[in-house]
mmCIF file of all heavy atoms in Angstrom:
data_model
loop_
_atom_site.group_PDB
_atom_site.id
_atom_site.type_symbol
_atom_site.label_atom_id
_atom_site.label_comp_id
_atom_site.label_asym_id
_atom_site.label_seq_id
_atom_site.Cartn_x
_atom_site.Cartn_y
_atom_site.Cartn_z
ATOM 1 N N THR A 478 29.415 -77.978 -57.724
ATOM 2 C CA THR A 478 29.898 -79.475 -57.613
ATOM 3 C C THR A 478 30.823 -79.548 -56.489
ATOM 4 O O THR A 478 30.737 -80.379 -55.632
ATOM 5 C CB THR A 478 30.660 -79.762 -58.857
ATOM 6 O OG1 THR A 478 29.789 -79.553 -59.988
ATOM 7 C CG2 THR A 478 31.045 -81.231 -58.906
ATOM 8 N N ALA A 479 31.593 -78.400 -56.286
ATOM 9 C CA ALA A 479 32.459 -78.399 -55.107
ATOM 10 C C ALA A 479 31.823 -78.335 -53.668
ATOM 11 O O ALA A 479 32.088 -79.071 -52.739
ATOM 12 C CB ALA A 479 33.524 -77.099 -55.192
ATOM 13 N N SER A 480 30.730 -77.589 -53.578
ATOM 14 C CA SER A 480 29.947 -77.553 -52.373
ATOM 15 C C SER A 480 29.230 -78.889 -52.207
ATOM 16 O O SER A 480 29.058 -79.277 -50.988
ATOM 17 C CB SER A 480 28.941 -76.392 -52.361
ATOM 18 O OG SER A 480 29.711 -75.256 -52.583
ATOM 19 N N SER A 481 28.765 -79.543 -53.220
ATOM 20 C CA SER A 481 28.124 -80.809 -53.202
ATOM 21 C C SER A 481 29.076 -81.862 -52.529
ATOM 22 O O SER A 481 28.747 -82.742 -51.743
ATOM 23 C CB SER A 481 27.501 -81.323 -54.427
ATOM 24 O OG SER A 481 26.586 -80.424 -54.971
ATOM 25 N N LEU A 482 30.307 -81.752 -53.062
ATOM 26 C CA LEU A 482 31.320 -82.670 -52.541
ATOM 27 C C LEU A 482 31.686 -82.450 -51.114
ATOM 28 O O LEU A 482 31.843 -83.315 -50.374
ATOM 29 C CB LEU A 482 32.654 -82.513 -53.399
ATOM 30 C CG LEU A 482 32.668 -83.384 -54.689
ATOM 31 C CD1 LEU A 482 33.668 -82.751 -55.717
ATOM 32 C CD2 LEU A 482 32.976 -84.777 -54.383
ATOM 33 N N ALA A 483 31.686 -81.136 -50.744
ATOM 34 C CA ALA A 483 31.905 -80.827 -49.212
ATOM 35 C C ALA A 483 30.853 -81.427 -48.348
ATOM 36 O O ALA A 483 31.114 -81.900 -47.292
ATOM 37 C CB ALA A 483 31.994 -79.388 -49.061
ATOM 38 N N TRP A 484 29.590 -81.341 -48.861
ATOM 39 C CA TRP A 484 28.475 -81.837 -48.226
ATOM 40 C C TRP A 484 28.568 -83.448 -48.104
ATOM 41 O O TRP A 484 28.267 -84.131 -47.092
ATOM 42 C CB TRP A 484 27.091 -81.393 -48.824
ATOM 43 C CG TRP A 484 26.559 -80.182 -48.299
ATOM 44 C CD1 TRP A 484 26.221 -79.119 -49.074
ATOM 45 C CD2 TRP A 484 26.273 -79.753 -46.950
ATOM 46 N NE1 TRP A 484 25.745 -78.121 -48.441
ATOM 47 C CE2 TRP A 484 25.793 -78.448 -47.060
ATOM 48 C CE3 TRP A 484 26.446 -80.370 -45.749
ATOM 49 C CZ2 TRP A 484 25.446 -77.673 -45.888
ATOM 50 C CZ3 TRP A 484 25.997 -79.575 -44.564
ATOM 51 C CH2 TRP A 484 25.481 -78.343 -44.707
ATOM 52 N N ALA A 485 29.049 -84.000 -49.233
ATOM 53 C CA ALA A 485 29.073 -85.476 -49.306
ATOM 54 C C ALA A 485 30.054 -85.919 -48.090
ATOM 55 O O ALA A 485 29.866 -86.883 -47.310
ATOM 56 C CB ALA A 485 29.565 -86.000 -50.551
ATOM 57 N N VAL A 486 31.206 -85.140 -47.947
ATOM 58 C CA VAL A 486 32.203 -85.606 -46.981
ATOM 59 C C VAL A 486 31.626 -85.083 -45.540
ATOM 60 O O VAL A 486 31.616 -86.063 -44.713
ATOM 61 C CB VAL A 486 33.469 -84.542 -47.176
ATOM 62 C CG1 VAL A 486 34.464 -84.772 -46.061
ATOM 63 C CG2 VAL A 486 34.225 -85.068 -48.395
ATOM 64 N N GLU A 487 31.030 -84.114 -45.439
ATOM 65 C CA GLU A 487 30.457 -83.651 -44.120
ATOM 66 C C GLU A 487 29.346 -84.698 -43.586
ATOM 67 O O GLU A 487 29.440 -85.089 -42.436
ATOM 68 C CB GLU A 487 29.690 -82.275 -44.221
ATOM 69 C CG GLU A 487 29.303 -81.621 -42.931
ATOM 70 C CD GLU A 487 27.979 -82.088 -42.305
ATOM 71 O OE1 GLU A 487 27.098 -82.739 -43.095
ATOM 72 O OE2 GLU A 487 27.718 -81.857 -41.130
ATOM 73 N N ARG A 488 28.497 -85.213 -44.458
ATOM 74 C CA ARG A 488 27.609 -86.239 -44.042
ATOM 75 C C ARG A 488 28.221 -87.614 -43.918
ATOM 76 O O ARG A 488 27.878 -88.309 -42.950
ATOM 77 C CB ARG A 488 26.448 -86.276 -45.277
ATOM 78 C CG ARG A 488 25.351 -85.151 -45.200
ATOM 79 C CD ARG A 488 24.522 -85.201 -43.914
ATOM 80 N NE ARG A 488 25.197 -84.495 -42.910
ATOM 81 C CZ ARG A 488 24.910 -84.654 -41.520
ATOM 82 N NH1 ARG A 488 23.892 -85.480 -41.196
ATOM 83 N NH2 ARG A 488 25.591 -84.015 -40.626
ATOM 84 N N SER A 489 29.078 -88.015 -44.792
ATOM 85 C CA SER A 489 29.740 -89.379 -44.773
ATOM 86 C C SER A 489 30.506 -89.507 -43.435
ATOM 87 O O SER A 489 30.504 -90.621 -42.895
ATOM 88 C CB SER A 489 30.629 -89.579 -46.033
ATOM 89 O OG SER A 489 29.829 -89.513 -47.179
ATOM 90 N N VAL A 490 31.358 -88.575 -43.061
ATOM 91 C CA VAL A 490 32.078 -88.674 -41.920
ATOM 92 C C VAL A 490 31.327 -88.811 -40.618
ATOM 93 O O VAL A 490 31.765 -89.310 -39.584
ATOM 94 C CB VAL A 490 33.284 -87.720 -41.674
ATOM 95 C CG1 VAL A 490 34.234 -87.642 -42.701
ATOM 96 C CG2 VAL A 490 32.590 -86.281 -41.577
ATOM 97 N N ARG A 491 29.983 -88.467 -40.689
ATOM 98 C CA ARG A 491 29.095 -88.460 -39.472
ATOM 99 C C ARG A 491 28.190 -89.677 -39.599
ATOM 100 O O ARG A 491 27.191 -89.767 -38.654
ATOM 101 C CB ARG A 491 28.384 -87.199 -39.326
ATOM 102 C CG ARG A 491 29.322 -86.013 -38.969
ATOM 103 C CD ARG A 491 28.664 -84.810 -38.698
ATOM 104 N NE ARG A 491 29.592 -83.574 -38.257
ATOM 105 C CZ ARG A 491 30.480 -83.041 -39.026
ATOM 106 N NH1 ARG A 491 30.696 -83.392 -40.259
ATOM 107 N NH2 ARG A 491 31.243 -82.118 -38.403
ATOM 108 N N THR A 492 28.270 -90.498 -40.563
ATOM 109 C CA THR A 492 27.243 -91.535 -40.674
ATOM 110 C C THR A 492 28.053 -92.870 -40.627
ATOM 111 O O THR A 492 28.758 -93.176 -41.703
ATOM 112 C CB THR A 492 26.396 -91.391 -42.044
ATOM 113 O OG1 THR A 492 26.010 -90.063 -42.073
ATOM 114 C CG2 THR A 492 25.258 -92.356 -41.869
ATOM 115 N N PRO A 493 27.953 -93.623 -39.565
ATOM 116 C CA PRO A 493 28.697 -94.824 -39.435
ATOM 117 C C PRO A 493 28.625 -95.753 -40.720
ATOM 118 O O PRO A 493 27.439 -95.970 -41.275
ATOM 119 C CB PRO A 493 28.141 -95.617 -38.264
ATOM 120 C CG PRO A 493 27.554 -94.481 -37.402
ATOM 121 C CD PRO A 493 27.106 -93.538 -38.395
ATOM 122 N N GLY A 494 29.656 -96.307 -41.206
ATOM 123 C CA GLY A 494 29.694 -97.287 -42.309
ATOM 124 C C GLY A 494 29.847 -96.728 -43.663
ATOM 125 O O GLY A 494 30.113 -97.504 -44.543
ATOM 126 N N VAL A 495 29.568 -95.479 -43.989
ATOM 127 C CA VAL A 495 29.475 -94.893 -45.250
ATOM 128 C C VAL A 495 30.864 -94.978 -45.847
ATOM 129 O O VAL A 495 30.983 -95.405 -46.987
ATOM 130 C CB VAL A 495 28.902 -93.519 -45.245
ATOM 131 C CG1 VAL A 495 29.038 -92.867 -46.601
ATOM 132 C CG2 VAL A 495 27.343 -93.483 -44.741
ATOM 133 N N LEU A 496 31.903 -94.388 -45.102
ATOM 134 C CA LEU A 496 33.184 -94.449 -45.684
ATOM 135 C C LEU A 496 33.701 -95.844 -46.048
ATOM 136 O O LEU A 496 34.301 -96.042 -47.119
ATOM 137 C CB LEU A 496 34.263 -93.680 -44.657
ATOM 138 C CG LEU A 496 33.965 -92.340 -44.471
ATOM 139 C CD1 LEU A 496 34.877 -91.797 -43.330
ATOM 140 C CD2 LEU A 496 34.244 -91.430 -45.789
ATOM 141 N N ASP A 497 33.495 -96.919 -45.172
ATOM 142 C CA ASP A 497 33.875 -98.107 -45.482
ATOM 143 C C ASP A 497 33.246 -98.665 -46.695
ATOM 144 O O ASP A 497 33.924 -99.273 -47.586
ATOM 145 C CB ASP A 497 33.512 -99.109 -44.359
ATOM 146 C CG ASP A 497 34.510 -98.830 -43.125
ATOM 147 O OD1 ASP A 497 35.594 -98.264 -43.322
ATOM 148 O OD2 ASP A 497 34.095 -99.202 -42.051
#
Side-chain angles (χ1 to χ4, degrees):
T478 312
S480 300
S481 301
L482 276 163
W484 276 125
V486 171
E487 192 277 346
R488 284 295 81 205
S489 298
V490 294
R491 288 178 178 78
T492 315
V495 173
L496 291 173
D497 287 338

